[in-house]
Amino acid sequence: MRKRLNRMLLVTISLAILSTAVLITAVYVPLLQEQILTDLQDITALLAWDRGETGNTFSGQEASRLYVLGEKLGDRGIRLTWMDSTGRVVYDNRVEGTGLENHLHRPEVTQAMETGEGRAVRKSSTLALNTFYYALQLPDGGVLRTAKDAGNGYSIFSNAFPPLLWILAALLLVGLYMAHFLTEKLVAPIGRLAENMEAENLEEYEELTPFLARIRQQHGDIVKNARFRQEFTANVSHELKTPLTAISGYAELIETGMASSEDVPRFARGIHSSADRLLAMINDIIRLSELEDSQVGQTWERLDLYELASVCGEMLDISARKHQVQLTVDGEKCYIYGDRQMLEELLYNLCDNGIRYNRPNGSVEVKIYREASTGNVVLEVCDTGIGIPREHQEGIFQRFYRVDKSRSQSTGGTGLGLAIVKHIVEKHHARLELESREGAGTRIRVLFGDSMGEEFL
């Protein structure tokens, strides 16, 4: 990250320097050209003012003075040309005699004869120079013209390029130091955060505050998940140990002949029961892992929740009779958008829990209806079972959480059913409500938002 930031800053500095040089040249050249024309205008005006007493033309001593001034101007790189009203060259400080062609049709001369003054810029035969002309009409109709050669934008930039390279090198050295300094300054809070995620006062830059907050949140989630997985692994190991110990113990008694012929069927039933519980637990663990994996796809479709509840009731009817519990399903057709397998598991686990933790001659009532006030589709499972003490109600949907461990194991529960219920409810963006009183039964409600299904009706 540091190297990349350094490279980016150096490239930015270099581009900024070159761009600045080009832009300054682009701005400076027109100003320079305008200044040259202004200087030529002032020089020409002074020369025109210094003419004969008649004020009409240069003659005698004034003409001689003009020639002398012309020579001096020539030494300074300024060309002076005097023309009569027909465009014939009377004097030019760069050409001996008057053998020059007529200048009447030169743009600056034509403009001067029409408006009193004229300007023009002509490129030389090379790319390096431009010639600037200023012409002023004299009272007698003649024209006095001054001209000067000056560099164009390309030549100015090329002349400035060698010293610009030295300046660029110096600025790059400064930029290298500044890039290193700024990079270290920028990544320092992140480095300190990596060393101590709980450290305070790391938000040295306002722009980094959301970034650092996000890192802290992700770190907290990672730590929480790691702790959660560690606890889950410990719980799984403990829960698997009990049935495996029972299976191993029964098998050892049978293997060593310590079990009498009358005990063998009882031990075999114990092995079978423990194996069934072990398989059920493994299946629930696998299913819970699948539900937690966001990459596992679901098949969403429009489903009648009442129809699913009725099928679940028929499936669990034998189990309810075995536990001497009456299971009923009541309600109306209510459509929601969800995954069929998940919703079947949701119904099965809620109803199965209501049956397992009930009393003889108790009841489990499943209701499916739509709330008039909110439009939510509600799945409600009420039982007349043992209930859940208030202090245990917050943790009842956690993995392997049991209010009465001995009773849970005797009923064959894995301790994962309600954890699976919670994950399925979250997958469907539904809401879970629990009402229970010890010794008076439990009511669990799952509220599916109206927006989940109405658009598919």
Side-chain angles (χ1 to χ4, degrees), residues 388-428:
I388 304 169
R390 182 175 297 275
E391 64 270 18
H392 293 288
Q393 290 181 12
E394 289 187 3
I396 197 65
F397 293 98
Q398 297 178 9
R399 304 169 182 180
F400 299 114
Y401 191 96
R402 292 190 177 94
V403 177
D404 187 344
K405 185 174 181 181
S406 60
R407 180 177 175 87
S408 298
Q409 291 181 351
S410 65
T411 59
T414 63
L416 296 172
L418 291 181
I420 292 175
V421 166
K422 180 182 177 181
H423 277 78
I424 293 175
V425 169
E426 291 175 351
K427 289 281 186 180
H428 286 77

Side-chain angles (χ1 to χ4, degrees), residues 29-39 41 119 132:
V29 168
L31 294 177
L32 176 63
Q33 293 176 347
E34 183 64 26
Q35 184 62 47
I36 292 173
L37 288 172
T38 301
D39 292 343
Q41 179 181 2
R119 297 183 177 195
F132 295 81

Side-chain angles (χ1 to χ4, degrees), residues 105-119:
H105 299 295
R106 299 291 174 90
E108 68 277 6
V109 176
T110 301
Q111 186 179 10
M113 288 185 173
E114 292 176 353
T115 64
E117 64 176 1
R119 297 183 177 195

Side-chain angles (χ1 to χ4, degrees), residues 6 25 27 44 63 73 136 154 268 307 318 324 336 381 425 450:
N6 280 328
T25 302
V27 172
T44 308
L73 290 175
L136 178 67
Y154 174 80
E307 180 184 345
I318 296 177
Q324 300 179 19
I336 64 171
V381 180
V425 169
D450 181 58

Side-chain angles (χ1 to χ4, degrees), residues 4-271:
R4 186 175 182 182
L5 284 174
N6 280 328
R7 287 197 300 268
M8 291 176 64
L9 288 172
L10 285 175
V11 170
T12 302
I13 292 171
S14 301
L15 290 176
I17 294 172
L18 290 175
S19 300
T20 302
V22 173
L23 290 174
I24 289 176
T25 302
V27 172
Y28 174 72
V29 168
L31 294 177
L32 176 63
Q33 293 176 347
E34 183 64 26
Q35 184 62 47
I36 292 173
L37 288 172
T38 301
D39 292 343
L40 291 177
Q41 179 181 2
D42 293 341
I43 292 171
T44 308
L46 287 172
L47 293 173
W49 178 78
D50 189 21
R51 60 184 183 273
E53 295 179 355
T54 61
N56 293 326
T57 186
F58 291 99
S59 61
Q61 185 178 356
E62 288 75 17
S64 299
R65 188 184 300 116
L66 178 67
Y67 299 155
V68 173
L69 291 174
E71 294 299 324
K72 292 183 178 180
L73 290 175
D75 294 338
R76 295 180 175 272
I78 297 176
R79 183 178 182 180
L80 174 63
T81 307
W82 174 24
M83 293 157 275
D84 62 16
S85 59
T86 64
R88 182 180 64 84
V89 176
V90 178
Y91 169 74
D92 190 291
N93 65 350
R94 286 191 181 177
V95 180
E96 292 289 340
T98 57
L100 292 173
E101 63 179 6
N102 192 287
H103 282 27
L104 183 63
H105 299 295
R106 299 291 174 90
E108 68 277 6
V109 176
T110 301
Q111 186 179 10
M113 288 185 173
E114 292 176 353
T115 64
E117 64 176 1
R119 297 183 177 195
V121 180
R122 287 194 284 276
K123 292 182 180 180
S124 64
S125 56
T126 67
L127 294 176
L129 296 174
N130 285 336
T131 303
F132 295 81
Y133 296 92
Y134 179 80
L136 178 67
Q137 188 178 35
L138 299 173
D140 64 350
V143 174
L144 195 63
R145 186 187 72 174
T146 55
K148 182 176 179 61
D149 294 332
N152 56 22
Y154 174 80
S155 64
I156 293 173
F157 185 78
S158 61
N159 292 332
F161 193 71
L164 184 63
L165 283 178
W166 289 103
I167 296 174
L168 177 62
L171 290 176
L172 283 178
L173 289 176
V174 175
L176 180 63
Y177 170 77
M178 292 301 298
H180 177 74
F181 174 77
L182 292 175
T183 300
E184 293 297 326
K185 189 74 173 175
L186 180 63
V187 300
I190 302 175
R192 293 198 296 272
L193 185 66
E195 295 174 359
N196 183 8
M197 285 291 179
E198 305 302 326
E200 300 294 335
N201 301 323
L202 290 180
E203 293 81 359
E204 297 184 12
Y205 308 102
E206 181 180 352
E207 294 79 6
L208 283 179
T209 301
F211 176 67
L212 295 177
R214 182 64 175 171
I215 290 180
R216 283 198 178 100
Q217 180 184 356
Q218 291 180 346
H219 174 70
D221 291 341
I222 291 172
V223 172
K224 182 179 177 181
N225 289 334
R227 188 183 302 115
F228 189 71
R229 290 183 180 278
Q230 185 177 9
E231 293 175 357
F232 179 63
T233 302
N235 288 332
V236 168
S237 301
H238 177 74
E239 294 293 334
L240 293 178
K241 183 178 180 180
T242 302
L244 286 173
T245 301
I247 292 173
S248 178
Y250 288 138
E252 184 179 0
L253 290 174
I254 295 174
E255 180 186 20
T256 58
M258 295 179 65
S260 63
S261 57
E262 292 81 6
D263 291 333
V264 169
R266 181 168 60 87
F267 290 169
R269 283 195 300 274
I271 292 174

